Amino acid sequence: MGESKSLSIQLVNQLNIEYTLAHLYKERAGQERDPIIKVLYVMIANDSLNHLDLVKYAINMIGGEVPKPTLMKVSGYDPSAMKTEESLINEIDIGLEEMEAASMVHFGVLAEKFYDARYSDLFRAVQEDEAVHQKILRAIRSHRKGKTREPV
């Protein structure tokens, strides 16, 4: 497989990751009762949509056609039925922190592989954005557990 084809496949995968993340965050925001956490989910969903746009432009830059993004699926094997089952990612309890970590790694790889250094710098900036998302998600998890720090 040529380097260009490999890059194209990675960009399409990243397109689907960002689309899935935006969908999951919108879904969580819609279900959230805490107004501050709701705003954080909406903020991260909007970030993911912006990342999605960046990936679309990158696909266009390498001469690719931007496919319609799809929600990611997870495959699992059911030994009792002896068959593989696929579920849409929003149908299972998936850790958003893990998805953000995967996205962060993928943007790092794209930063290294993309032929235009200007885009590489943007991919690195988005990679840092994904790290911020992970921090926000950890803070939300900590908040839910009732851990608070002493007032300053």
Side-chain angles (χ1 to χ4, degrees):
M1 181 183 311
E3 192 68 26
S4 159
K5 183 70 174 168
S6 171
L7 179 60
S8 177
I9 289 169
Q10 270 194 295
L11 285 165
V12 170
N13 286 339
Q14 191 63 36
L15 181 86
N16 292 331
I17 289 172
E18 293 301 330
Y19 178 76
T20 301
L21 282 168
H23 177 83
L24 291 172
Y25 285 121
K26 285 180 184 178
E27 202 171 76
R28 294 265 174 108
Q31 298 168 353
E32 184 58 51
R33 292 191 315 230
D34 184 313
I36 292 174
I37 294 175
K38 182 183 204 99
V39 167
L40 291 171
Y41 281 145
V42 169
M43 180 189 78
I44 299 173
N46 289 334
D47 284 350
S48 293
L49 291 173
N50 289 331
H51 300 167
L52 181 74
D53 286 341
L54 174 67
V55 172
K56 286 179 181 178
Y57 292 127
I59 291 171
N60 283 330
M61 274 195 74
I62 64 168
E65 187 175 318
V66 178
K68 181 180 178 193
T70 59
L71 282 177
M72 296 174 65
K73 294 180 180 178
V74 175
S75 294
Y77 180 72
D78 180 359
S80 64
M82 295 178 52
K83 66 178 185 176
T84 302
E85 297 175 343
E86 276 191 347
S87 300
L88 288 174
I89 210 155
N90 64 329
E91 295 173 350
I92 61 171
D93 187 21
I94 184 96
L96 288 171
E97 283 180 62
E98 289 82 5
M99 283 194 68
E100 289 287 353
S103 183
M104 189 171 80
V105 168
H106 282 106
F107 272 116
V109 171
L110 290 172
E112 296 302 316
K113 285 189 170 189
F114 207 75
Y115 67 92
D116 186 330
R118 296 172 303 159
Y119 271 77
S120 292
D121 292 342
L122 293 173
F123 289 139
R124 283 188 192 90
V126 173
Q127 185 181 27
E128 292 171 14
D129 212 16
E130 302 293 15
V132 170
H133 294 170
Q134 286 180 298
K135 288 179 184 177
I136 292 170
L137 292 169
R138 281 192 295 273
I140 290 171
R141 186 170 18 99
S142 179
H143 171 77
R144 292 199 192 287
K145 289 181 180 177
K147 295 181 181 175
T148 57
R149 59 188 178 102
E150 294 298 316
V152 179

